[in-house]
Amino acid sequence: MCDTCGCNITHGNESLIKPGGKLARTKSGKEAVTVLHSLLQENDHTAHHNREHFDQHNVLAINLMSSPGAGKTSLLEATIQLLDPSIRIAVIEGDLETENDAERIRKHGVKAIQIATGSACHLDAHMIHQALHNLELNEYDVVFIENVGNLVCPASFDLGQHHNVVLLSVPEGDDKPSKYPVMFRSADLVMISKADLLPILDDFKSEHARRYLQDIASTAPVIELSAKTKSGMTQWLDWIKQQISNRKDYLKQHPVQSGHAHQHEHEHLSQRREGAKNTKVISDKAIPETGSPL
Amino acid sequence: MHELAICESLMDQVERIALERNAQCVTSIVIGMGPLSGVEAQLLKHAYSIASTGTVAEQAELIVESLPVRVRCNSCGAESEALANKLLCKTCGDWHTTVIGGDELMLLSVELEKPDELSAEVLH
């Protein structure tokens, strides 16, 4: 919803603003202001801005989400090893603390930027925006964003990605889509990870997971994959290549305006707040922090 | 607990509105949200008491309107209420549905107290 054309008035809230509705009343001496804006307006604005940056440089951005330990970093490592080397990859890692995941990615010779969120349980668009200052986007074809391991909070924040991939690892149980519908509803692709454990943990039934996904009206394709045995990797890599190609075709038909005026003097309100100060973007020092054209 | 981050964003919007309208203080804030927004009303209210401290909305009442999950069936076109993890058509049972309500997370309205003319004159 865009907050400008009235599409934010839904079946759910229109009764509230009609005459006689709860929002129509005004007490004497007071002014009632009808707003109808998303609470995440500022984040969504920055996310849109990030997406413009990705599009200007023909970069596909994929946001990986899952519970902690579902195998996001292992999936990225396997992807780096097996993806066509002509496809240039960068990774933005989100964790509460440590640079461990970024280190794992860098060992494969791939640029990785670690965002240490401190106490924040999710990445938001402002953090990605900061990270993009340390990334020369024209050097990459795909940027993977590894979100903080969490099946709740990251689902509410648009980062400017083009696709969400949600991992459901076999040890977690096949009913996770039913327990975390908001997260799994956001998925453009669902990956059943650690699929090599399916014969051992036989109470996980892939068909059950698929049925729970149907219950939340998900039309996302499902891939069973093991980063360890590499089964399912071909399907995943084909999906990535298909999305790169689709995005390029889309941008040919809908070119992004060049010379997009962009000033970073502005200070986002939320960045002034205490919470945002606790977020650190750790560059891998390969590129000077001020060297970005963003 | 992302509710605190969301509340901070809410406070930014409310403070901006109060400033634009030259309000003395904010007396109530109404937000509308559905179960598919991924935000818990109770946690949001708790976070609000923290985020509003020291702001123009410190004394404001936060009213949360819970909006129901509603789906439209892509097969038969019927609209029905649904559960967050069971977004099926109540008429034909199909799972090919589109959510038309229940994923909102919106600031619906703000009630402001304006300085009356008398006190405005005294100030001048």
Side-chain angles (χ1 to χ4, degrees), chain A residues 83-104:
Chain A
L83 190 65
D84 183 339
S86 68
I87 300 173
R88 301 159 303 166
I89 301 175
V91 176
I92 298 173
E93 289 280 350
D95 279 296
L96 270 68
E97 295 292 346
T98 84
E99 205 163 341
N100 297 354
D101 285 356
E103 294 291 355
R104 278 172 64 182

Side-chain angles (χ1 to χ4, degrees), chain A residues 170 193-200 225-229 231:
Chain A
V170 168
S193 59
K194 306 190 185 183
D196 51 299
L197 296 175
L198 279 169
I200 304 156
L225 182 142
S226 165
K228 194 174 171 183
T229 67
S231 70

Side-chain angles (χ1 to χ4, degrees), chain A residues 159-261:
Chain A
L159 306 179
Q161 76 280 4
H162 299 108
H163 299 289
N164 284 326
V165 175
V166 180
L167 279 71
L168 163 60
S169 71
V170 168
E172 290 175 69
D174 52 26
D175 61 349
K176 283 289 176 292
S178 189
K179 288 180 174 168
Y180 299 93
V182 179
M183 172 58 77
F184 282 93
R185 241 172 56 79
S186 76
D188 299 305
L189 172 73
V190 174
M191 194 168 295
I192 297 177
S193 59
K194 306 190 185 183
D196 51 299
L197 296 175
L198 279 169
I200 304 156
L201 302 171
D202 57 4
D203 51 343
F204 186 107
K205 306 278 187 225
S206 287
E207 61 272 25
H208 290 180
R210 288 169 200 265
R211 204 191 60 221
Y212 286 124
L213 285 166
Q214 286 189 356
D215 282 350
I216 56 167
S218 167
T219 53
V222 180
I223 297 178
E224 289 175 27
L225 182 142
S226 165
K228 194 174 171 183
T229 67
K230 309 291 187 283
S231 70
M233 280 301 288
T234 310
Q235 267 180 285
W236 161 236
L237 299 175
D238 287 348
W239 183 86
I240 297 171
K241 282 184 256 181
Q242 187 62 55
Q243 304 315 313
I244 294 173
S245 155
N246 290 352
R247 194 73 205 160
K248 286 200 168 141
D249 289 347
Y250 176 85
L251 289 172
K252 262 183 212 157
Q253 287 160 20
H254 307 87
V256 186
Q257 284 181 341
S258 57
H260 156 69

Side-chain angles (χ1 to χ4, degrees), chain A residues 31 33 35 37 39 215 269, chain B residues 9 16 21 87 108 110 112:
Chain A
E31 183 189 5
V33 184
V35 188
H37 282 172
L39 287 196
D215 282 350
L269 275 167
Chain B
S9 175
R16 200 175 298 135
R21 307 231 169 196
L87 302 173
L108 297 177
V110 177
L112 306 169

Side-chain angles (χ1 to χ4, degrees), chain A residues 10 12, chain B residues 33-38 67-70 99-105:
Chain A
T10 67
Chain B
M33 53 186 260
L36 290 174
S37 68
L67 305 172
V69 177
R70 291 187 63 79
V99 169
I100 55 170
D103 56 351
E104 302 89 346
L105 180 62

